Amino acid sequence: LGMIDRPQVAYRVLQFLCVLLVPVAALGVNVLSRGRVWWSVATICLFAYPGTRGGLDLGQNPVISLCIVVWGWALASRGYNFAGGLVWGLFAFKPVWAAAFLLVPILSRRWRFFLGMALGGGGFVLLTLPVVGVQPWLDWLKVGSEANDLFFDDAGTVKT
């Protein structure tokens, strides 16, 4: 999307992609619930959820994140822990979410899931390097460090 010259076109492409992903996420809900939630009902509920509309209107990506969460967990619930981890590795596009969700396989001791997530995320990062280089990732680490410092300043806690 970042390579599209015209922001309005990129915005519409993302909207279209997210509209297509709502039924995909709903299918994941169906798989995760082992058929107890019908695909059609899950699709309608996801489209009716106010956050979906907000994400579509603002050109944001919560539907993409939802697809990653649901399908990764659906695969893991069916015994495909490594594959579920690979799907969750796609959270490399949102490193803060990746760090937060990395706790799930660690705390639940799903080591294959953890390995899949680490390899999937690392592979995703490596795929971006020929396109964007190393600097954006280093910039992200710097911004994250600055945000961490700001958090400690705002919270009034002492840094160690």
Side-chain angles (χ1 to χ4, degrees), residues 6-97:
R6 298 173 44 218
Q8 295 87 356
V9 173
Y11 171 73
R12 296 292 181 214
V13 168
L14 180 62
Q15 281 184 313
F16 183 73
L17 174 68
C18 287
V19 166
L20 291 178
L21 286 178
V22 168
V24 173
L27 182 61
V29 169
N30 175 265
V31 170
L32 188 56
S33 70
R34 299 194 186 277
R36 288 186 298 271
V37 177
W38 296 345
W39 172 75
S40 57
V41 171
T43 300
I44 291 168
C45 288
L46 288 177
F47 271 120
Y49 180 71
T52 303
R53 171 77 189 268
L56 291 173
D57 289 349
L58 297 172
Q60 296 176 339
N61 55 23
V63 174
I64 297 170
S65 298
L66 179 64
C67 275
I68 293 170
V69 170
V70 167
W71 276 105
W73 203 249
L75 287 167
S77 74
R78 296 291 178 123
Y80 301 105
N81 284 303
F82 185 77
L86 284 174
V87 171
W88 274 24
L90 294 172
F91 272 125
F93 91 100
K94 289 187 127 177
V96 173
W97 282 75

Side-chain angles (χ1 to χ4, degrees), residues 95-150:
V96 173
W97 282 75
F101 277 101
L102 191 60
L103 291 174
V104 173
I106 291 171
L107 295 176
S108 62
R109 298 177 189 230
R110 292 177 179 257
W111 303 119
R112 288 179 187 235
F113 195 100
F114 173 82
L115 181 63
M117 189 174 177
L119 290 175
F124 190 67
V125 169
L126 288 175
L127 284 173
T128 67
L129 294 180
V131 178
V132 299
V134 176
Q135 194 59 45
W137 290 102
L138 297 175
D139 291 344
W140 182 87
L141 288 173
K142 184 178 178 198
V143 169
S145 175
E146 290 172 2
N148 189 45
D149 292 344
L150 182 64

